Amino acid sequence: MSTTDVIKSTENKNVHYVKQYIKNVLQQEPGDTVTVKGWVKTKRASKGIQFIQLSDGSCFTDLQIVIDASKFEENLLKEISTGCSLLVEGTLVESPAAGQKVELSATDIEIVGSAPVEDYPLQKKGATFEFLREIAHLRCRTNTFGAVNRIRSKASWAIHQFFNERGFHYVNTPIITASDCEGAGEMFYVSNSLAVENGEYKLKNKNPQEDFFAKPAYLTVSGQLEGETLACGLTNVYTFGPTFRAENSNSARHLAEFWMIEPEMAFCNLEGDMALATEFIQYVIKYALDNCSDDIEFFNKRIEPGILETLEHVVNSDFEHVSYTDAIKYLENSGEKFEYPIHWGADLQSEHERWLTEKKIGKPVIVYNYPKEIKAFYMRLNDDNKTVAAMDVLVPKIGEIIGGSQREERHNVLVQRIKEQNLEEEAYWWYLDLRKFGTVPHAGFGLGLERLIMYITGMKNIRDVIPYYRCPRNADF
Ligand code: 4AD
Ligand code: MG
């Protein structure tokens, strides 16, 4: 059978997008006739009966297809193998297997696309996550990555719902920008002056003024600065978009491209910011618990035993608030041997964050009021002149999941902070304007979506919670 023949034979049944998902079929009654479409996860045969596990990604459980081999062409049954796509019609019958009410007794089977056994890379169960990263284009067909993608989708939906219910406007801030929000210089340039000739980069012109944007431009590291301008007019806003950081990090919690959610609230201070961050995380986790229970059960069994209990606990308990100064005291008196020495003024490293939230507190912690030297220029200076109104939410196993602050709304103080950090005042003219015209106390934070998904699923590497990961030396697919 050629590929064209196969496509022709299913043409009439494939005219519209799928509306009958396996998720719904599994809830139907014995006796119902249904048509399902999906990919074969496994196939086994026993005494003239063949069993196929079919998945369309709509839910964790596969639909079991039961085939009476005597009723089908031998060649057709032979061609069905792991990975091939099928259209199956049949009648639902009561399933003797545990965990599912019904299975499908096939009356008609069409192979939509075959998957030659000798070539299909996902033959065996138990492939390592490292191996699956090399076939990222196929890994969503596995149990783990199906579940990760479903939770990511549901969490994203919950995020929009959370803000929508609270009157926040969803705003889109630019992906190409001329300002470095975090001042960390970890930006990818955006230029049309660069070309590849004979395998080498060639600069078409050296003068930024002659480049596409007539100045150096970058992929944004955060939508915050523009978000602030929108909050100072729309009151409560949030962004939800991709952000980019050229940090040369191969850690299990950093990506070069990740998705960030950044609410920004006018007439709000640090306390309000921390309260919203807590409510937000609890809401999204509760939504996942209520709407992705099968997937979370899988993570609880196979990936991170105890994750279910942890999540239920997080939803129902307050987050601990600890000032940076107190956090340093705890760390200094911990008796632990840290790789990075700790003292007042030092930035908290992942090992410190994890000790605080895992060992000292045992639940999410919000650390606030950090030294101004280690935080971005836009954070509001506290009266002690030494710390800024910053806050980071830390969670066990991951460390920082949210970073936020009250913003400096006083024009003169902000100018001073820009100078102190050796930033170009002129570049921030529009940002400073906000402090000239109707300035208000305001605050916001950024949540890394991938870190949240790691937290909910217990997945240990951030590269496994986004369909295609970007990190040093990886922009394949
Ligand atoms: O702490 P960050 O750098 O804060 C900001 O960008 C602020 N402008 C946010 C704001 O106040 N509107 O980043 C915020 C969060 C981190 O807590 C982390 O969850 C995530 O973004 N994040 C990363 N996630 C994956 N890979 C990276 N390289 C990340 N860098 C930050
Ligand atoms: Mg941060």
Side-chain angles (χ1 to χ4, degrees):
M1 205 175 344
S2 77
T3 319
T4 17
D5 286 341
V6 171
I7 287 169
K8 237 184 228 155
S9 70
T10 57
E11 218 165 40
N12 292 332
K13 289 170 185 164
N14 271 333
V15 290
H16 213 330
Y17 65 90
V18 170
K19 289 179 189 161
Q20 190 159 37
Y21 296 109
I22 286 175
K23 174 174 109 181
N24 309 115
V25 167
L26 286 167
Q27 303 306 320
Q28 286 183 231
E29 297 302 320
D32 288 356
T33 58
V34 297
T35 304
V36 291
K37 295 158 190 169
W39 292 265
V40 174
K41 267 208 191 137
T42 56
K43 178 180 141 179
R44 65 193 165 85
S46 138
K47 297 183 202 131
I49 308 280
Q50 300 202 351
F51 298 96
I52 286 172
Q53 297 299 120
L54 195 76
S55 165
D56 63 3
S58 60
C59 61
F60 187 81
T61 313
D62 304 320
L63 178 64
Q64 172 142 291
I65 315 280
V66 187
I67 301 167
D68 178 346
S70 66
K71 294 191 179 145
F72 292 88
E73 258 182 61
E74 208 183 319
N75 279 347
L76 176 102
L77 295 186
K78 250 194 205 151
E79 204 181 328
I80 299 176
S81 60
T82 300
C84 76
S85 48
L86 298 184
L87 181 153
V88 185
E89 277 179 9
T91 310
L92 291 177
V93 294
E94 223 167 278
S95 173
Q100 59 197 43
K101 193 169 73 173
V102 289
E103 56 191 29
L104 184 63
S105 170
T107 50
D108 190 14
I109 303 175
E110 287 176 20
I111 298 174
V112 182
S114 57
V117 178
E118 42 315 343
D119 295 333
Y120 187 59
L122 266 180
Q123 290 297 344
K124 281 188 288 273
K125 277 191 168 175
T128 63
F129 291 152
E130 287 78 11
F131 170 70
L132 292 173
R133 274 174 224 146
E134 291 168 21
I135 50 163
H137 59 306
L138 295 171
R139 65 179 178 169
C140 72
R141 298 182 186 188
T142 63
N143 285 340
T144 305
F145 290 91
V148 164
N149 281 298
R150 277 188 298 276
I151 288 188
R152 199 180 154 107
S153 166
K154 288 284 182 208
S156 300
W157 172 249
I159 287 165
H160 284 295
Q161 188 168 289
F162 173 84
F163 288 117
N164 189 42
E165 281 173 2
R166 285 159 184 74
F168 282 60
H169 301 286
Y170 170 44
V171 296
N172 303 121
T173 49
I175 286 173
I176 300 175
T177 173
S179 51
D180 178 2
C181 171
E182 294 306 299
E186 291 166 337
M187 308 208 290
F188 289 103
Y189 281 91
V190 177
S191 162
N192 71 337
S193 295
L194 212 53
V196 176
E197 272 173 35
N198 303 324
E200 286 188 358
Y201 278 126
K202 281 263 151 46
L203 215 46
K204 285 193 279 183
N205 59 64
K206 284 192 171 164
N207 185 349
Q209 258 84 54
E210 286 164 26
D211 198 11
F212 192 92
F213 297 107
K215 60 162 71 164
Y218 321 91
L219 291 178
T220 188
V221 296
S222 157
Q224 179 199 320
L225 302 189
E226 296 89 349
E228 283 183 52
T229 68
L230 289 153
C232 293
L234 294 164
T235 305
N236 288 328
V237 301
Y238 72 103
T239 70
F240 189 158
T243 41
F244 307 86
R245 299 204 181 170
E247 42 196 341
N248 196 5
S249 164
N250 266 311
S251 89
R253 41 174 231 153
H254 288 88
L255 290 169
E257 176 182 290
F258 62 99
W259 285 68
M260 186 149 55
I261 297 96
E262 297 186 271
E264 192 68 35
M265 294 83 71
F267 307 100
C268 184
N269 62 11
L270 188 68
E271 213 175 306
D273 203 30
M274 296 196 278
L276 186 84
T278 306
E279 208 183 318
F280 177 47
I281 291 183
Q282 289 176 328
Y283 183 98
V284 180
I285 292 179
K286 178 156 191 338
Y287 190 92
L289 286 169
D290 291 347
N291 293 278
C292 312
S293 51
D294 286 1
D295 291 323
I296 291 180
E297 208 172 284
F298 163 78
F299 289 112
N300 194 46
K301 255 198 216 136
R302 291 297 184 81
I303 304 290
E304 173 75 39
I307 186 84
L308 180 61
E309 204 186 326
T310 303
L311 295 175
E312 279 165 354
H313 183 66
V314 168
V315 169
N316 295 312
S317 56
D318 283 340
F319 294 7
E320 193 89 11
H321 292 199
V322 178
S323 72
Y324 169 89
T325 302
D326 283 346
I328 294 296
K329 279 186 204 147
Y330 293 152
L331 286 159
E332 282 174 337
N333 298 328
S334 67
E336 295 276 326
K337 245 196 133 16
F338 294 114
E339 191 187 336
Y340 293 87
I342 194 76
H343 53 87
W344 201 96
D347 206 356
L348 297 184
Q349 302 295 326
S350 164
E351 54 174 348
H352 308 129
E353 294 175 344
R354 291 191 52 178
W355 180 84
L356 275 172
T357 175
E358 284 164 31
K359 302 243 170 82
K360 175 73 188 168
I361 313 282
K363 61 176 182 175
V365 187
I366 308 186
V367 179
Y368 63 96
N369 288 350
Y370 284 75
K372 63 175 180 178
E373 286 79 14
I374 58 170
K375 288 290 183 187
F377 73 96
Y378 53 72
M379 298 188 178
R380 193 178 196 281
L381 190 63
N382 287 324
D383 292 343
D384 60 13
N385 261 322
K386 288 197 313 213
T387 59
V388 286
M391 63 105 179
D392 279 0
V393 180
L394 316 179
V395 298
K397 305 266 159 72
I398 295 169
E400 180 190 338
I401 192 168
I402 278 182
S405 68
Q406 184 171 339
R407 320 307 188 187
E408 184 53 75
E409 87 284 11
R410 298 161 296 186
H411 188 272
N412 58 336
V413 182
L414 186 58
V415 169
Q416 185 58 32
R417 294 278 292 141
I418 287 177
K419 284 189 182 141
E420 270 171 28
Q421 301 214 359
N422 292 322
L423 299 168
E424 253 180 76
E425 192 183 326
E426 303 85 75
Y428 295 95
W429 67 271
W430 52 274
Y431 189 69
L432 285 162
D433 259 8
L434 285 187
R435 281 74 183 167
K436 276 197 215 156
F437 310 124
T439 193
V440 282
H442 60 289
F445 62 80
L447 166 81
L449 178 65
E450 288 74 19
R451 298 230 179 133
L452 177 67
I453 303 302
M454 286 174 80
Y455 191 42
I456 296 177
T457 59
M459 294 293 285
K460 315 258 170 332
N461 195 312
I462 198 164
R463 298 171 190 193
D464 297 334
V465 294
I466 185 166
Y468 294 99
Y469 66 97
R470 297 288 172 255
C471 67
R473 286 171 298 287
N474 185 63
D476 297 341
F477 302 103

